[in-house]
Amino acid sequence: MPAESAGPKHVAIIMDGNGRWAQKKGKIRTFGHKAGVESVRSVVRFARQNGIESLTLFAFSSENWKRPEEEVSVLMELFNLVLNSEAKRLHKNGVRLQVIGDVEAFDAKLVEKIRKAEDMTKDNKDLVLNIAANYGGRWDIVNAAKQLATQVKSGELDVESICEDALNAHISTANLPELDLLIRTGGEHRISNFLLWQCAYAELYFTDVLWPDFNEDVFQLAVDDFNVRQRRFGLTGEQVVTADG
């Protein structure tokens, strides 16, 4: 059935353009990554104030390991610093932190910080903030398929019982509302292996604004655009109008 037009409940953002933002200012690329932290604070604040239940941010893809070693090192350092400085703030503001992706590939100390922050905020209800780190959409689907295969092998699950719902139960965002809106900043028009399963019926919004310049006003523009779209979910426009009464 068509979703209610009360605004998106789950929003995901591909935070693109940090490096280009820095280069335009004559700075090295990593300067842009550091500047982008303020935009993260801004979108978390906006989400909390506007009834968004879940916000998923693409922080580090499984392909980002291919970037220059210095940039990867700074990104890992920044992730550490943000966890140190922001976890308590998130907790104070009722935000639950959840990191999705193959985090075991990170340094053991970073993994420990992630787990501590998740545990500290696990009972918070105002907003779920998902940080996708060492994440890839294909990895997510393959990981879910492996879990189903393990269940079949052990006799817990019959092959004929495998369906979309069964696989979805093992996707990394299974505990969250369906993805409503995917935003990409920076002017590119692709989803770059992000939330492939979840994007099936999500609305896509692309903006030329580079991530460090993305603020609450730009976020509002994306939400306003979402709110005037007709979400059909396979139906015709006439069926949607009739169903809405």
Side-chain angles (χ1 to χ4, degrees):
M1 294 296 293
E4 296 179 3
S5 57
K9 297 302 180 186
H10 184 181
V11 178
I13 306 177
I14 300 174
M15 306 179 292
D16 194 20
N18 288 323
R20 282 172 287 153
W21 182 89
Q23 290 169 340
K24 284 185 175 183
K25 295 182 177 298
K27 306 285 188 178
I28 58 175
R29 288 177 54 83
T30 52
F31 181 79
H33 293 301
K34 293 175 181 177
V37 173
E38 184 54 42
S39 293
V40 172
R41 295 189 184 112
S42 179
V43 297
V44 169
R45 183 166 54 246
F46 179 92
R48 286 183 61 248
Q49 294 173 349
N50 289 274
I52 294 170
E53 297 175 6
S54 182
L55 178 66
T56 301
L57 304 179
F58 204 7
F60 189 84
S61 80
S62 49
E63 287 79 27
N64 285 158
W65 293 109
K66 302 172 187 176
R67 291 192 173 189
E69 185 176 343
E70 180 184 358
E71 184 171 347
V72 172
S73 178
V74 169
L75 284 169
M76 292 300 103
E77 179 186 341
L78 187 59
F79 198 6
N80 263 296
L81 290 172
V82 169
L83 280 171
N84 286 336
S85 64
E86 300 299 317
K88 289 183 179 179
R89 180 183 301 187
L90 293 173
H91 185 46
K92 181 180 178 181
N93 287 290
V95 179
R96 175 186 172 188
L97 178 67
Q98 179 173 283
V99 180
I100 60 174
D102 187 11
V103 297
E104 299 304 325
F106 294 139
D107 176 85
K109 289 184 178 179
L110 178 55
V111 174
E112 183 181 3
K113 285 183 181 179
I114 290 171
R115 298 311 180 204
K116 283 184 177 179
E118 289 180 324
D119 186 63
M120 178 174 63
T121 62
K122 65 182 180 181
D123 296 323
N124 294 336
K125 306 294 184 184
D126 288 0
L127 173 72
V128 180
L129 174 62
N130 308 287
I131 302 297
N134 196 28
Y135 176 88
R138 290 179 177 178
W139 167 86
D140 203 357
I141 296 169
V142 168
N143 189 54
K146 284 181 177 178
Q147 293 182 62
L148 290 178
T150 299
Q151 289 181 314
V152 170
K153 186 177 181 180
S154 67
E156 298 175 55
L157 182 69
D158 186 88
V159 172
E160 298 304 318
S161 298
I162 295 176
C163 59
E164 288 186 18
D165 287 343
L167 192 144
N168 189 63
H170 296 288
I171 290 289
S172 60
T173 56
N175 63 320
L176 306 175
E178 288 287 328
L179 181 63
D180 293 312
L181 173 62
L182 173 67
I183 300 169
R184 180 171 186 145
T185 67
E188 303 290 355
H189 294 80
R190 55 180 177 269
I191 58 175
S192 297
N193 194 25
F194 184 46
L195 301 180
L196 298 181
W197 176 269
Q198 297 89 331
C199 275
Y201 279 103
E203 297 295 320
L204 308 183
Y205 182 88
F206 301 100
T207 175
D208 290 334
V209 175
L210 302 175
W211 178 246
D213 291 327
F214 192 93
N215 55 30
E216 294 176 51
D217 291 338
V218 184
F219 203 161
Q220 185 65 62
L221 290 174
V223 171
D224 289 345
D225 183 81
F226 171 88
N227 287 337
V228 298
R229 296 189 188 185
Q230 185 186 63
R231 305 189 74 198
R232 299 178 185 171
F233 299 97
L235 303 179
T236 66
E238 291 78 10
Q239 286 176 303
V240 172
V241 171
T242 301
D244 286 343

